[in-house]
Amino acid sequence: MERTTVVRCADGHVFTAASFPMQQAERLGPGRLVRCPRCARLRSAVPVGSQER
């Protein structure tokens, strides 16, 4: 079963990512590079908290 995570890219677009690695390295933080479906570019994305949805 694939988990989906709601994420927000650096441009502010909110979308779901099918596989969003949640390992948190101290120097990198929770952000990851993913391809945004709205702007079709690799963007830094962070998980959206449940209050922000």
Side-chain angles (χ1 to χ4, degrees):
M1 185 165 127
E2 226 175 62
R3 291 185 58 189
T4 59
T5 304
V6 178
V7 296
R8 179 182 319 252
C9 82
D11 282 349
H13 303 135
V14 177
F15 57 96
T16 59
S19 61
F20 195 76
M22 297 308 291
Q23 310 92 325
Q24 183 171 351
E26 270 187 48
R27 63 185 179 87
L28 297 176
R32 299 290 179 261
L33 283 177
V34 293
R35 186 165 304 275
C36 176
R38 295 272 316 268
C39 54
R41 296 182 179 183
L42 281 176
R43 298 279 186 205
S44 175
V46 294
V48 175
S50 59
Q51 299 87 4
E52 298 179 44
R53 290 184 195 168

